[in-house]
Structure formats: C-alpha cells, structure tokens
Amino acid sequence: MEWTTDEDLSFAVKFAINMLPTTRQATPEDVQMAAGAAVLAASKMRNVTLDEAVLVKILEAQTNVFQEDSSALRSDEGHQVWLADAKSDRRWAFWERYERYLKHVRNLPLSVVRGIDRTADEVLGELEDPRRPGPWRRTGLVIGQVQSGKTGQFIGLAAKAADAGYRLIVVFAGVHNDLRAQTQLRIDEGLLGFDTQYQLRSDQEGSSRLIGVGAMSGEDRLPVASLTNSSEKGDFDRKTASRANLPIGNFPVVLVVKKHARIINYLRTWVTEVHGVEDPSTGRKIVRDVPLFVVDDEADNASINTADSESDPTKINAAIRDLVASFDKASYVGYTATPFANIYIDPEADHDLLGSDLFPDSFIRSLRAPSNYLGPERLFGLRLDKEEDEEDVEPLPLVRHVEDTEAWIPDRHKSGYVPAGDLPASLVDAIHSFILTCAARRARGQVDVHNSMLVHVTRFTSVQGRVREQVDDYIRLLQKSLGDRFGDASMNCFTQLQALWEKDFAPTTGHFPVDEVHHLSWDEVKAEVLSAIRKFQVKAINGVARDALDYYDSRAKGLSVIAVGGQKLSRGLTLEGLSVSYYLRFSKTYDTLLQMGRWFGYRPGYEDLCRLYTTESLEAAYAEITSATDELRRDVEEMAALGLTPREFGLRVRASSLGLSVTAANKMRQGTKVRLSYSGELPESTIFQLDKGVPQDNFENLRAFVEMLGELAPAQVDNSRSLVWRGVPPEVVAAGFFDTYRAAKEARRIRPSFIAGYIRQCARYGELSNWTVRIVSRRDSAKMVDIAGHRVGLVTRAASKTGVQSEARYTIKRVLSPLDESSDLDDLQKEQALVATKMAAKGGLNRKGEPRNPSVPTSVPLRAQRRPDQPLLLIYPIEAPEQTAIEVPLVGFAASFPFSNFQGKTEYIVNNPWLADDAEFDDEDEQ
C-alpha cells in the first residue's frame, strides 16, 4: 500500500459526496455508507488505505450545515412565468460547471450549494425570459447578510442568466478599484474560467490561462468573454472594447465595473454606438434584442439618488438608470445586506430621459445565511421578540471591551492628528491574540492559509499611516524578541503570550463543542508562534497607500497581514481569514455600522479563535442593529406569506433604542419624511428608566388612567384577574395613557407622543375607534398592588441576557406574553390568525435547524386579522428589579394596531432635523 496523500483524500471526499442525496439533508447513515464506499473505492482504484473515521468527520462538516429557504415579496405585473419550461429546452452548462466547482473545489457544504441553486432559480424566475420579445424591464432586490456569501450567490445567478440567454451581464462592484478587482477575480474563477489579465475570451488563440471552473479536469471551454480584467486598473476602457471587436449577442459578455459615472457612461456610449438604433419617438439610441442583466452589488452604496430633486439625480444613480433605459430588454437586481436606503427609494419617481428609479418594484427577496455563518446574531446575541417558542440567541464569548484609547486616539480628532504615546494595552492584547490565533491554526493543520487582522480606528488616511507605522514597529520588535535565543526577551514574550492563552483562549475554546474545534495545549501553540509571526506583514489599506492585499498571488502559502484602514475596509472588500478585529469607529446609521463589520463570515475550524476588540457602546449598538435587521427580514417573510407586493411593503425598521438612524438622511430625501406609521405594528416597552422619578410618575399616571376608564364603564375581570375595558374611545387612550407616559430616553422606538399622534390621525378617518384596554394581572403573584381600587397581581419580567443593564436602565426581552395579543379577538379571528401564523412560518427553521410550527397566533399575521377599528392596549404592572429601591411597579405596555386603510394619510412624519441630530456622515462615504 502507498502512503495516503491529500490528493487521495480529495478523491475519496469527491467520491463520497457524489453518493450523498442531492435533494435532502444527508442523514448520519447516508454519511457512513458514502464514507465506506469511498474508502473501498480508494483501496481498489488508488491502492491506498484511508481512515474511514477521518473521512466521516470531513463529510459531517459538509453535511451538518442547514439553511432556511428564502422568501419574497413580489409583483407579477407585466411578468410572464417562463423558467419551468426553460429548464427543459436550454443547456445549463455555465451553472452545472459552477455547481461542480462549488462542491469539489470550494468544498462548500452540500446544503449551501443546494441553497445557491434554489435561490438562483427563484431570483431568475422573477426576472423576464431573455427570449421574450421586448420591451420589458424587471427590478428587484436581494437582501443577504454582511460577508455571508452574496458574491457566490450572484455568480450562480449570473451563470444561470447566461445559460438562459442574457447576452450582456454587467456587475457593478463597489466604488473602489480593489473591490472591483476582487469581484472580477471571483467572476473569473466562478463564471468565465480564465484569467482576464491575459485573455478577453474563452476561445482566444494562444492563451490558456485557465483558472477556477475552467481549470477543472474534463470541463468544456464554454463561449464567454469579458472586456474588464482583474488588475487594479482593469475597469472598462473604450479602447479595449474597440480593439476587442466583440459582437454582443452571439455569446455572453460579462463586465465587472466600478460605480463611477464616467466609466458607466463610457460603457453605455460604446454599447449604444455599436449596437443601438435610434428611437424615432425620443431620438436616443436604444439597444434592441440584446437582453441586459445588471447585478448591483452593495446596491445601497452610491446607487441611491441622494439629490434634493428627482429632476437632477446624482451622477452615479443617473448613469445606472441611463444604461438600463438604453436597452429595451433589461433586468436589474440589487444585492445588499443593508437594504434600508433601497426601500426608501420613491417607487413613483419617473425621469423624462432616465425613466423610473431603481426601486425594487418586481420583488424583494430575503436570503437566510447557512447555520455555519458567524454573523451578527451569533456574535452580539439576539432578542427574539416575535418568537414565543424560541430562546434568545446567546452571544458567543468573542467580544473584548476597549476602554484605554482616548489618550492615544480620541474619538474626535482631525486629519493631521498624531497618535500620542505607545500603542494602548488593548491593541497590544489584540496583536498578541492575532499571534496566538495564527499559531493555533498552524497547530490545527491550517498552515498554508490566509490570516488577517483588521485595525480600524480612524477615517483619516494620514492617521491610518501613522497607526500602521506604530503597529509595524511593534511587530518588528516582537519578531526580534521572540527570535532572541540568548537574552531574556524571548522568554518574557512567551510568558505574556502564555498568560493570554491560559486566561482567554483556553476558556473561550471550552465554550465550543469538542467535536467542532480541536482543543490545544499551550505547548502545541508555542511550537508554532515563531513560524506564525515571521509571516506577518503590516499594510495600510486606503486610497493613498500603495499597499495591496494580494491574497490571490499568495494563495499557495497564505498571506498573514495586519490591515490598517478605514473606508476602503468598510464595505464589500473581504479580508481573507480575518480572525482578530480592533474597531473603534462609531457611526450612527444602521447600514454604515453593519457594513463596517468585516468580521462576519465563515470561520471553519477557528471560530473559537476569533476576537473583536471594541467599545461597550459599539457592542450595544451592534446588538440593537442586529435586532432591527432581524425584524426587517422577518417582516419580509411574514408579508410575503400574506401576498404583499414590494410597493405595499412599508419600511418597518423600528426606531432605534440607541438613537441610531436607519440610513443617511440624504439617502431618504425622496421621502425624507421617515414614515413611523404604526399600521400593523406592535410597539412595546422593553427598556425602563429607573431614575428621576420615572417609575413613580408612570404608576401615578396609570392610576389616573384607570380612574378615567372607570368613569366610562366598570372593569370586567377575566379568569386571570386581569382588568378589561371594551369600547374605549381613541382620545381617552391617546390623552389618558400615551400623552402622560414617560418612556426611557433610550427607548426611542416606542415614542409615546408619536403613538398618540398616530391614534388621533387614524381617528379622523374613523379608525382605531373601539379600543380594548387590558391591565394584565398574574393570578398567582406573590405581590399585589392597588390600582384605583383594583387589586392586581404584578407580573415578572427577567432582565434580558443580551440587553444593556445599568443602575438607571432596566432592559427585558419583551413585555408581551404572546397569548395576550389575541385575547380580544373572536374565535374566527383567532383561528384565521393561527393559520396565517403557521403559513408565515412554513419552510422556516428555528435556531436548532428544526421546522418552525407555532402554536400561538402572533405578529403581522395576527394583526392582519384585526378590523381597522379594533386596536388593543395591554398594560403590564411589572415587579421592579430586586436590586433597586423602587417601591412601585414598573409600567410596561404593548399596543396591537390593526392595518390602516388610510396608511398614506395617517403616517407620523419626522422631519430632517430629527434625522440630522443622530447621523454622522463622512464625505468619503458618498463619493
């Protein structure tokens, strides 16, 4: 028998994967059988003996990942269903080649490959058949998660679009050259199959620079071309296009273009000059019978019209719209993890020359990340407000707080600032963590891999340069000290690293299951430290520095880099093998903060080694954002189940309890008025202010409100001893409760004055006229309280494990008991609400990967059953936290609002100054 090689193991893995089921999740029995067959095949065909247990472990890692189905809001106006028939009458060669590449080269879990296949079909089916006679146009939006594999998703979609018959495929990839080049390289590997730095088309004579899908053995060379390449300066160039003399229409032509108005206009001018015909009605040239497919990556960045007037849109927005309008057959799909700005686009915008704006009129589809994704929910935790049958997602113990940087780099500084003194101790710890992470990965067998550390502490490039110098000096000092065989320097350094390993890394790894990560001893890690740090490079990554992240050129041995940067590292650009992040830069908008989170993604075999060094306030902001974006995705899923179209879908991102704006104010100018309509909403109090007499004031106001209700009618007492009043007029609720309620200043999403204003506006149209008010009492409560002559049992609400607590602030998971929200509905409404709730959950999985099957009607499906005149106010007298001296109960509430028939006329409008108060904008963010 011969020694086993990596090639032998790779053969066995491919053999086994081909034996696993392709339409369902593989069972342990499937895995065991496939592994046994692969071991036998390796013995017969390659004359080697493989360890079946090792092969089973590899296959389990590929098969135990699960992924929920995507869901979509859609409009079929003007759309013809076509994909099912096209499946049998076209050759899907580009997709099949890419699918094999994902399975056998990228080694993606089979469920993830199936998810890409399914999602690409779903999105492609929403577009128009490229063979359908024109003119037609489709615009859609796909919502993914930051660093979750959106590029791999849209490459799969582009492959299927090419197979279907789209002949010009344009990918807009960010606003920087390096992100465009990175995306082009991914397109080269996954779709084209050749290195675009050396050839323009797959059949080019004298060129054989095959990569990715093209380098797999036995693959056909499919006809495809590109007029852009993966070098830093490889963007679209009219000279290249003219020399290439490519006739568009015979086979797919793929372009990866930076979002720059001049370059996009060059592209439009070239294609219309070569293939356009004059439209007699407008005089402009239109390209007919060449179907255009546009993928707009990071679609909320630069593509949005931020101008004050639709009559004069911003240059990039105008250039993209002009390109799309120059084709009589065109499909546009935006991809983003932060869709807030896209949903704010005015769907009615219509320019004489450019046509309609890029609002996703045709569909909005939400993708769920696979279960092995290290995303915001797992890093910062998640309060599952809407899930009565699930526990909160507990954050992984990977965040470390930074509190010592004010003297080094203060929060507010100017471009000429020089960092004062040595590196702060927290950054030194972060660097040491990176050394330990790289050494531990080597000890686990991950040797020739990329390792990255992010240092993002300022937006100014000159300050970034000075930070890079400081970090580089420290790394060189460490390299010299650790290599010192004669003095004490080496021993001192190893002593510091060992202390950090034993205090931090060993216990953190202990939180992870033994079968998921290899638990290492200090001696195993120490043996790899010097080899790890000798590979370190420190680079400044910004628009000024000449440094570049050459992951591709270093792919054979792996690149170990500490990247010091700002804006260029904050959107789209992937840091390969990122494990340690040192991040201090605050922004008050959801989308900017989320996009700066380069630390999200996939960390196979080293999740436990990852670290995020940041401030406590930034961690709290990310926890809030995580909750808000999760709610947006769930709303898409629920409203999709109700059959709503994108135009009917109102942006439902809750107002932030940390004072965050959802996106930059200038991205919302088409409606700058942020719509805080409570139509179909459930505002509820989860944050309580404990100081300044707020609990006492709210309780006294509750007593006065109950007295007011008592003057209208006597309270009814239900089985739980709760007090119920029915038929309460809207002004009594608005004036008697919401006008007087004092919310915690951080709890901006409930804003009692806004709720009161919304109630009054709806009342003008005859809505919200018949309130049910229920003061919830706990029958078996040990603590009773008198409220205007009524004995009420206090309810208990535990402190949230993911919310921020303090002496002046108490945060709970939620105030509502899910059963309470349907307490005022009749039997038929309850029955229909439960059916709709189950329908909305269909196909979804809980956090354990099990099918969701709710037993209680909740959320949007429940509120959709309410009549417009049938709102519910639930008031919860809550036992105050034991550690406080508060003698009265905290007053919490939840208001269940029906959907309004006059939503456009009953929205509460917030003006620009309110937005500007909380938004921090960088000029470079909008360039």
Side-chain angles (χ1 to χ4, degrees), residues 263-282:
I263 294 173
I264 300 171
N265 287 329
Y266 279 166
L267 169 59
R268 176 187 51 78
T269 301
W270 170 74
V271 75
T272 53
E273 285 178 354
V274 175
H275 294 279
V277 295
E278 186 173 313
D279 184 342
S281 61
T282 63

Side-chain angles (χ1 to χ4, degrees), residues 478-479 482-483 494 525-535:
L478 282 177
Q479 289 171 333
L482 287 166
F494 275 115
V525 176
K526 181 181 178 181
E528 299 291 345
V529 165
L530 195 54
S531 297
I533 196 172
R534 280 174 173 162
K535 292 182 67 174

Side-chain angles (χ1 to χ4, degrees), residues 587-892:
S587 173
K588 291 191 174 183
T589 63
Y590 285 179
D591 42 13
T592 302
L593 271 178
L594 266 183
Q595 290 292 351
M596 287 178 176
R598 298 293 92 197
W599 45 81
F600 305 127
Y602 301 93
R603 307 290 184 263
Y606 65 104
E607 269 191 358
D608 61 311
L609 305 176
C610 295
R611 296 292 182 271
L612 169 59
Y613 287 80
T614 192
T615 64
E616 189 173 351
S617 61
L618 270 167
E619 183 186 21
Y622 273 108
E624 171 71 17
I625 294 164
T626 299
S627 188
T629 51
D630 182 77
E631 183 170 323
L632 174 66
R633 287 189 178 91
R634 288 178 182 272
D635 279 347
V636 170
E637 293 165 5
E638 290 169 345
M639 292 190 171
L642 296 175
L644 298 185
T645 67
R647 287 189 177 226
E648 294 170 320
F649 175 55
L651 181 61
R652 304 170 63 80
V653 180
R654 62 187 178 199
S656 166
S657 63
L658 293 173
L660 300 165
S661 299
V662 294
T663 188
N666 59 352
K667 290 183 180 179
M668 297 184 288
R669 279 186 184 143
Q670 301 309 324
T672 322
K673 302 168 175 182
V674 176
R675 296 180 168 91
L676 292 182
S677 166
Y678 291 97
S679 174
E681 293 279 3
L682 181 81
E684 58 176 313
S685 49
T686 57
I687 304 171
F688 298 90
Q689 186 171 335
L690 303 179
D691 60 357
K692 299 181 181 178
V694 171
Q696 186 70 40
D697 286 352
N698 280 339
F699 186 62
E700 291 303 323
N701 289 331
L702 174 60
R703 282 177 168 164
F705 181 50
V706 171
E707 290 174 355
M708 185 185 303
L709 294 173
E711 293 175 1
L712 294 176
Q716 299 176 17
V717 181
D718 65 14
N719 294 333
S720 66
R721 305 294 299 171
S722 296
L723 308 177
V724 182
W725 290 267
R726 294 183 175 84
V728 180
E731 184 57 30
V732 171
V733 174
F737 185 77
F738 288 109
D739 279 350
T740 61
Y741 187 88
R742 292 182 63 186
K745 60 183 178 62
E746 299 93 348
R748 297 186 61 177
R749 61 182 163 130
I750 62 171
R751 304 173 191 232
S753 61
F754 287 12
I755 297 174
Y758 177 75
I759 292 170
R760 292 183 172 109
Q761 290 185 37
C762 285
R764 297 191 190 114
Y765 296 94
E767 296 186 335
L768 306 184
S769 57
N770 189 14
W771 280 81
T772 295
V773 177
R774 185 169 185 250
I775 298 180
V776 179
S777 175
R778 182 179 168 189
R779 176 185 285 276
D780 59 351
S781 177
K783 293 189 178 181
M784 306 292 289
V785 67
D786 181 87
I787 304 178
H790 300 279
R791 296 289 290 170
V792 175
L794 299 187
V795 300
T796 57
R797 292 291 183 268
S800 168
K801 297 175 183 178
T802 58
V804 177
Q805 314 290 341
S806 70
E807 292 183 0
R809 172 177 173 171
Y810 184 60
T811 305
I812 63 177
K813 175 182 176 180
R814 68 178 318 186
V815 72
L816 178 80
S817 294
L819 270 172
D820 292 340
E821 193 181 1
S822 59
S823 60
D824 65 319
L825 301 183
D826 61 38
D827 290 343
L828 179 59
Q829 285 177 311
K830 289 180 182 178
E831 180 183 339
Q832 292 174 334
L834 182 57
V835 169
T837 301
K838 287 180 178 290
M839 185 186 303
K842 189 175 181 181
L845 304 176
N846 64 21
R847 305 291 159 173
K848 298 177 182 178
E850 303 163 338
R852 289 178 56 204
N853 185 28
S855 59
V856 174
T858 60
S859 195
V860 171
L862 183 153
R863 294 188 284 281
Q865 298 302 318
R866 292 191 174 280
R867 298 185 304 273
D869 69 335
Q870 191 186 16
L872 169 68
L873 173 61
L874 296 163
I875 300 174
Y876 293 85
I878 302 169
E879 192 175 324
E882 290 183 2
Q883 66 272 23
T884 68
I886 298 172
E887 298 180 353
V888 298
L890 306 179
V891 177

Side-chain angles (χ1 to χ4, degrees), residues 213-228:
V213 294
M216 295 189 299
S217 60
E219 292 296 336
D220 293 337
R221 191 175 295 191
L222 302 176
V224 64
S226 178
L227 295 176
T228 54

